[in-house]
């Protein structure tokens, strides 16, 4: 992993978290226990803070950034799909952001909500809990059922196990 101090702020990574060597983590970033940060993720806590709470995953090529003196927060068990951008938003616990979705500044994503792949969540939108958001611009499509909520939780547990497995068995073999 590439960790960079910026303006006296150093990233903080829990010992049980896995951060891929190609990920870049800059400045005021806190990565909690049992988190997984995938290849080519960019977490820039240069203007403000990024807080990634326990059990969350930020998959390949995701970007997390934040405005000046703001905080981007991923609640417990957040699940951020490949290529997604989360800019200055707040995700409550057990949220899933789909691949290539964009979540803008000041948006609050309610507990257990799923944002579909390629959706766009506008700045400042307070999204309800346990709903499916889809589209550009994003809109609430429907409430989630218990099976969908359980499926998301199961997927997040797989990434928590992946973090453990990577810490113990990932080895570079080309050099």
């Amino acid at each position: 992993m590439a960790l960079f101090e910026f303006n006296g702020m150093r990233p903080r990574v829990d010992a049980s978290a896995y951060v891929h060597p190609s990920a870049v983590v800059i400045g005021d970033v806190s990565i909690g226990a049992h988190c997984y940060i995938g290849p080519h993720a960019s977490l820039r806590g240069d203007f403000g803070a990024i807080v990634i709470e326990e059990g969350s995953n930020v998959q390949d090529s995701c970007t997390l950034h934040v405005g000046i003196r703001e905080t981007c927060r991923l609640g417990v068990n957040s699940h951020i799909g490949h290529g997604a951008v989360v800019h200055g938003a707040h995700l409550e616990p057990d949220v899933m952001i789909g691949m290539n979705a964009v979540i803008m500044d000041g948006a609050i994503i309610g507990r257990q909500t799923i944002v579909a792949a390629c959706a766009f969540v506008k700045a400042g939108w307070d999204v309800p809990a346990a709903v499916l958001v889809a589209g550009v611009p994003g809109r609430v499509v429907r409430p989630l059922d218990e099976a969908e909520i359980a499926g998301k939780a199961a997927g997040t547990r797989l990434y928590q196990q992946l973090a453990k497995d990577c810490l113990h068995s990932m080895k570079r073999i080309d050099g």
Side-chain angles (χ1 to χ4, degrees):
M1 78 184 105
L3 300 177
F4 296 92
E5 180 177 322
F6 182 77
N7 281 341
M9 298 299 297
R10 290 179 161 217
R12 295 154 320 278
V13 180
D14 188 272
S16 66
Y18 174 76
V19 180
H20 190 274
S22 69
V24 177
V25 183
I26 301 169
D28 192 0
V29 178
S30 175
I31 300 172
H34 314 294
C35 289
Y36 172 88
I37 309 299
H40 307 292
S42 175
L43 287 58
R44 285 184 43 217
D46 45 13
F47 294 154
I50 296 172
V51 177
I52 302 172
E53 295 183 6
E54 181 176 350
S56 296
N57 66 81
V58 178
Q59 298 172 18
D60 313 44
S61 301
C62 289
T63 301
L64 274 57
H65 194 229
V66 63
I68 296 170
R69 290 184 291 284
E70 299 291 331
T71 299
C72 179
R73 180 177 302 276
L74 308 186
V76 172
N77 297 329
S78 291
H79 189 104
I80 313 301
H82 310 289
V85 175
V86 180
H87 199 282
H90 177 101
L91 280 54
E92 293 184 353
D94 300 305
V95 163
M96 182 172 125
I97 305 300
M99 293 182 281
N100 292 310
V102 176
I103 314 301
M104 293 302 295
D105 300 89
I108 300 171
I109 310 297
R111 173 185 291 276
Q112 298 180 320
T113 284
I114 295 175
V115 176
C118 299
F120 178 82
V121 174
K122 66 183 179 180
W125 186 20
D126 191 352
V127 178
V131 297
L132 174 64
V133 172
V136 178
R139 62 181 177 78
V140 174
V141 175
R142 60 177 171 76
L144 295 174
D145 62 37
E146 290 302 316
E148 291 167 316
I149 292 169
K152 181 274 175 202
T156 299
R157 285 192 299 275
L158 288 173
Y159 272 91
Q160 291 163 350
Q161 184 61 49
L162 180 61
K164 290 178 189 174
D165 294 345
C166 287
L167 284 170
H168 299 296
S169 68
M170 179 81 71
K171 293 180 177 84
R172 187 166 181 154
I173 61 169
D174 67 345

